[in-house]
Amino acid sequence: MGRMLEISIALRNEIVAAATAAPDVEVCGLLLGTPGRVERVVTCRNVAADPRRRFEIDPAALIAAHRAARGGAPAVIGHYHSHPTGIAAPSPRDAADAAPDGGVWIIVARGELTAWRAVREGAIHGRFDALALADPGCAPSGERPQGGSAVSPRYRFP
């Protein structure tokens, strides 16, 4: 699995906007696409007992996404969540909860968005490796956006 994640600026903005709209709770959602590329995000209800400190994606939303993928929709490649009072990096609790299955974790905090892959013996908390973010382009040809490099390890919401 690569160390780069393609995700459009529009999808990054959608995730950050969801976190900004609910600053007191951990927002969460699913990342749909193909390995290494997020094609769609789906905001989900956080069903954790204390959504201010933890997140748990609504199981019904997760099951529905997997069923849709079996029917040809984009696959679930990971999820996102926010850290309302923390930083945009995996916490020790995230590491304890993460399966080393190669899933993508996007974390947003204070307008900053980062991406991680859950792996065995990761560099962060023994569970996560950082992913660089890349914009997949503005056209099906993969044309890069105007104004310079499309690769960033972190993304700050404008």
Side-chain angles (χ1 to χ4, degrees):
M1 291 186 197
R3 300 251 179 189
M4 175 126 5
L5 179 68
E6 291 186 353
I7 179 170
S8 71
I9 291 169
L11 291 177
R12 295 180 209 188
N13 288 348
E14 188 176 330
I15 293 168
V16 173
T20 301
D24 298 326
V25 298
E26 292 198 17
V27 300
C28 57
L30 298 172
L31 305 171
L32 308 178
T34 57
R37 183 178 180 137
V38 178
E39 297 171 5
R40 186 171 163 225
V41 298
V42 177
T43 300
C44 298
R45 189 168 60 99
N46 181 348
V47 298
D50 184 1
R52 292 171 294 133
R53 300 180 53 159
R54 295 197 68 176
F55 82 97
E56 182 178 339
I57 291 174
D58 183 350
L62 185 58
I63 291 168
H66 282 296
R67 281 187 180 145
R70 284 196 306 269
V76 176
I77 62 167
H79 61 273
Y80 70 86
H81 74 283
S82 65
H83 287 170
T85 60
I87 61 171
S91 68
R93 180 175 296 274
D94 290 335
D97 290 345
D101 59 5
V104 173
W105 286 55
I106 287 182
I107 301 173
V108 62
R110 300 183 177 139
E112 185 177 16
L113 181 146
T114 59
W116 310 85
R117 188 173 305 282
V119 296
R120 289 191 193 286
E121 300 178 18
I124 305 299
H125 305 302
R127 182 59 73 218
F128 294 100
D129 285 338
L131 294 173
L133 299 172
D135 189 303
C138 301
S141 66
E143 176 184 319
R144 295 293 181 208
Q146 295 177 349
S149 173
V151 178
S152 168
R154 296 176 177 263
Y155 175 74
R156 177 149 302 273
F157 189 61

